[in-house]
Structures are given as structure tokens and as C-alpha cells.
Amino acid sequence: GAVVSQHPSRVICKSGTSVKIECRSLDFQATTMFWYRQFPKKSLMLMATSNEGSKATYEQGVEKDKFLINHASLTLSTLTVTSAHPEDSSFYICSAGLQRGGRNEQFFGPGTRLTVL
Amino acid sequence: GEDVEQSLFLSVREGDSSVINCTYTDSSSTYLYWYKQEPGAGLQLLTYIFSNMDMKQDQRLTVLLNKKDKHLSLRIADTQTGDSAIYFCAESIANTGNQFYFGTGTSLTVIP
């Protein structure tokens, strides 16, 4: 149980276009989902925390108008990279939060590799 | 913000034990986690430890927690080539709404 999917797994786009990445919790409901960005050989940088039915909370330095997050249901959150530029190329990972036995857990999607030409 | 540090690289021979270390700065952590990331993939939870425990063993994995020194380690016994990956420690901190703070990651290379 507790499977999280991401779609697409890879995307290549031209500079100036927008790209939408979906994150789904397949067999559980997630009130909270998280979006991370990972640079090569680097740790995960939390971009934003997404709560179902409310606005996302963005970390300092993350442009909310560039990285649009929508969490319309308890099983789906989307990240849209608007007007993408080559510096937005990265590995984007989502996770879905779940409380189990009083412990907070995060279950991670497999990631989306974005390349902006 | 919270600082979680790890050494970047570790190489071991197949069959030896690997020890991956992690230090953190916030003493109000509730749980600490170890995740494994294989190339091009997401993160897989390996194990976790509650902050009031000092040791947890799970098959080939042993987690040691020294809360006084804010030091966490993951020992992998009988390391195999399939263990080659990046390992992240992470902590969840009380009253942060399930937010995790990740370490910098340790790239483990197992030499056959």
C-alpha cells in the first residue's frame, strides 16, 4: 500500500512553454502533498507544501507564480512550471503525507525529469 | 532553517559493513528516517527510528541514534552491489505539519 505515482516520468519542452506534472496517491488519501526539486548529486529542496482545498505554502525563494500548485482532491496534486526556462531543468519529486500509528510518513513518487531546451 | 548534514561519498567492498552518518541541529525531532534513492528514481523508505529510542535493527539494517550529540547512523551489514545508491537521512519535527528535513545525501558505492 501507500503508492504514489507521478506523470510524466520525463518531459522535454521548449523554452517559454508550460509543463504540468501530476502527483497521485493511488491507494490512500493524502491531505498534504509536498513538491521537491533535486539538482544532480544534491539533496531534495522542498519547494512547497500543498494542502487539499487550500493554497499551497511555498518555501522562501520559490516563485509561486512560476510554480503553480493545485491540490484539487485528496489523491491528486499538480505542479505547473510556467514559461519554463533551461534553468528550470531538474528532477521534480512529489510526496504524499500519511499518518500511521501516530507517526508522520511521506511516500514519494518516482520523480519527473524535466529538460527545458 | 534546520541543517542536516551527511558525508557525500562512501565506498565499501562487497560483503563488508557500511556505516552512513548524519548529524542534525534541531533537538525537537520526533522521528528520524533513512531513505534510499536509486539512479533516476524516487525515494524509498528503508527504516525509521523514534526519537526516544537509541537503536533499531531491521534485518541487515541497524540504526543508531545519539540524541545528545544529534547524531544518527545507518549500518548496512554484508553490503551488496544492489545497495549502491544515495542514502538520505531525514527528520520530522514536532509542530511543522509533517514537513521533513533531508540531509545532503551520501552516495554509497559497493565495489565487487
Side-chain angles (χ1 to χ4, degrees):
Chain A
V3 178
V4 176
S5 70
Q6 268 182 255
H7 178 80
S9 57
R10 289 179 180 271
V11 57
I12 301 172
C13 69
K14 290 184 180 178
S15 191
T17 59
S18 294
V19 174
K20 182 190 280 190
I21 303 169
E22 292 186 349
C23 178
R24 292 181 187 273
S25 56
L26 297 184
D27 49 4
F28 67 101
Q29 293 183 329
T31 311
T32 307
M33 289 186 171
F34 302 86
W35 286 97
Y36 295 86
R37 183 173 176 177
Q38 186 180 31
F39 293 98
K41 298 188 183 350
K42 296 284 187 186
S43 187
L44 282 74
M45 181 193 82
L46 179 65
M47 298 174 66
T49 302
S50 163
N51 292 298
E52 186 265 338
S54 64
K55 289 184 181 179
T57 304
Y58 290 81
E59 295 298 299
Q60 195 170 9
V62 178
E63 297 176 59
K64 61 181 181 184
D65 293 330
K66 181 164 186 63
F67 298 100
L68 299 178
I69 290 171
N70 184 279
H71 194 160
S73 77
L74 287 171
T75 59
L76 174 64
S77 176
T78 59
L79 167 69
T80 301
V81 183
T82 62
S83 187
H85 288 281
E87 57 265 30
D88 298 325
S89 298
S90 195
F91 193 55
Y92 292 87
I93 303 178
C94 74
S95 72
L98 185 65
Q99 270 227 341
R100 288 218 273 207
R103 184 183 79 249
N104 288 328
E105 280 201 43
Q106 287 190 26
F107 294 92
F108 288 82
T112 296
R113 171 76 58 195
L114 170 63
T115 303
V116 185
L117 302 176
Chain B
E2 172 64 8
D3 284 328
V4 185
E5 298 285 337
Q6 295 176 240
S7 50
L8 289 179
F9 301 101
L10 176 66
S11 290
V12 298
R13 294 207 174 272
E14 191 174 15
D16 288 350
S17 292
S18 310
V19 179
I20 302 170
N21 294 302
C22 171
T23 57
Y24 56 97
T25 57
D26 196 311
S27 57
S28 56
S29 56
T30 52
Y31 283 89
L32 296 113
Y33 304 81
W34 283 103
Y35 284 86
K36 177 182 180 182
Q37 185 182 32
E38 298 188 15
L43 273 68
Q44 172 197 356
L45 177 65
L46 289 177
T47 187
Y48 63 90
I49 188 167
F50 186 44
S51 58
N52 70 354
M53 296 171 61
D54 50 24
M55 186 179 106
K56 180 178 179 182
Q57 186 149 4
D58 185 358
Q59 299 183 329
R60 290 191 300 125
L61 306 178
T62 303
V63 179
L64 294 178
L65 174 61
N66 182 328
K67 200 167 182 181
K68 174 174 165 290
D69 294 340
K70 300 189 184 69
H71 182 266
L72 179 75
S73 68
L74 174 70
R75 178 175 179 271
I76 305 173
D78 186 25
T79 314
Q80 303 296 307
T81 53
D83 295 325
S84 293
I86 300 177
Y87 291 80
F88 292 96
C89 62
E91 57 172 340
S92 64
I93 296 173
N95 304 319
T96 60
N98 198 11
Q99 187 166 318
F100 281 19
Y101 294 89
F102 282 87
T104 44
T106 299
S107 178
L108 173 65
T109 301
V110 182
I111 304 163

